[in-house]
Amino acid sequence: MGKDCGNHGDDDFRHSCRRLLTILISLAILVGIIALIVYLVLRPTHPRFYLQDATLRTLSLSNSTSTPNSGDSSSGHLLSTTIQVTIASRNPNDRVGVYYDRLDVYASYKYQQITVAASLPPVYQGHGDVDVWSPVLVGPNVPFAPYLADAISQDCQAGYLILQVKVDGRVRWKVGNWISGHYHLFVTCPAFLVTSGGNGAPGDGGFRFQTTTYCHVEV
């Protein structure tokens, strides 16, 4: 009789352990499902950016010689650029809004910045909203490396020019009443400019924007 009672006690203990283990596994699965739902809801898709137009008004390359007092008589180059760009942004999220707290736009050539950054006004972008900006980017007498001066001269002579329009900013996400912290936004838009014939030297020379381009976005 005592042996039977002992076995019965062991069975109850095993059943209790199984029930406890089942409860713990169920709770873990439930927590995982809740975490996955929250992740899918709060994880936003980055905004879509498009370069719709780029009008090159000025592109002037000049020589520059260091002053004698500097101890360097080597010659360099200065590039002056004026370009107006039209950038569109769309928020593809159904439940997530975007605060653009800072947006700085500038143009570059082969990774060298050639204009001063233009600041765009802060804006909130709701679900599916589209915003369009058309800043004028100006770069007066920007020091230009000799190899870049040769490259841009060759591009102009060939009748095509590829610039990059870049956006550097800070964004926040909004889900219901919840607003996230700041995230760094970096956008690169290729601008393909072509002309009917080469002119042998940098200059606006009839360059025109070829096609709307999709921008690469990093958040």
Side-chain angles (χ1 to χ4, degrees):
M1 179 70 67
K3 185 176 180 179
D4 292 338
C5 291
N7 291 337
H8 182 70
D10 291 342
D11 290 340
D12 289 342
F13 178 75
R14 283 194 294 268
H15 287 313
S16 298
C17 289
R18 290 195 189 99
R19 284 196 296 268
L20 179 60
L21 183 60
T22 301
I23 292 173
L24 291 177
I25 293 175
S26 299
L27 287 175
I29 293 175
L30 180 61
V31 170
I33 292 174
I34 294 175
L36 178 61
I37 293 174
V38 172
Y39 173 78
L40 293 176
V41 171
L42 297 184
R43 180 178 180 268
T45 300
H46 59 66
R48 311 297 190 200
F49 277 78
Y50 306 88
L51 181 63
Q52 295 184 333
D53 191 27
T55 302
L56 186 62
R57 298 179 179 177
T58 305
L59 185 68
S60 176
L61 185 64
S62 61
N63 292 325
S64 173
T65 304
S66 302
T67 60
N69 292 335
S70 66
D72 183 4
S73 58
S74 61
S75 61
H77 298 84
L78 299 175
L79 183 70
S80 295
T81 309
T82 303
I83 182 171
Q84 183 172 12
V85 299
T86 300
I87 303 172
S89 172
R90 178 181 177 274
N91 177 11
N93 296 284
D94 294 329
R95 300 181 181 86
V96 182
V98 184
Y99 283 101
Y100 295 101
D101 292 327
R102 178 178 64 82
L103 291 173
D104 295 329
V105 186
Y106 62 92
S108 68
Y109 175 77
K110 294 188 182 297
Y111 304 105
Q112 176 171 334
Q113 183 173 339
I114 60 174
T115 69
V116 177
S119 295
L120 303 179
V123 65
Y124 172 74
Q125 194 173 64
H127 315 149
D129 286 354
V130 177
D131 289 278
V132 181
W133 304 275
S134 295
V136 176
L137 309 179
V138 180
N141 297 323
V142 176
F144 216 49
Y147 78 95
L148 289 177
D150 292 339
I152 202 170
S153 296
Q154 292 173 6
D155 288 349
C156 290
Q157 187 173 6
Y160 70 87
L161 187 63
I162 302 177
L163 303 178
Q164 289 82 37
V165 177
K166 299 190 176 185
V167 181
D168 191 332
R170 301 273 283 179
V171 299
R172 289 176 295 161
W173 313 110
K174 182 177 185 296
V175 182
N177 294 324
W178 177 82
I179 299 176
S180 74
H182 283 99
Y183 289 83
H184 182 231
L185 173 74
F186 194 71
V187 182
T188 302
C189 309
F192 299 99
L193 304 169
V194 297
T195 184
S196 56
N199 59 6
D204 49 37
F207 277 102
R208 64 186 183 278
F209 185 63
Q210 188 173 21
T211 183
T212 298
T213 55
Y214 176 75
C215 306
H216 177 70
V217 181
E218 296 180 16
V219 179

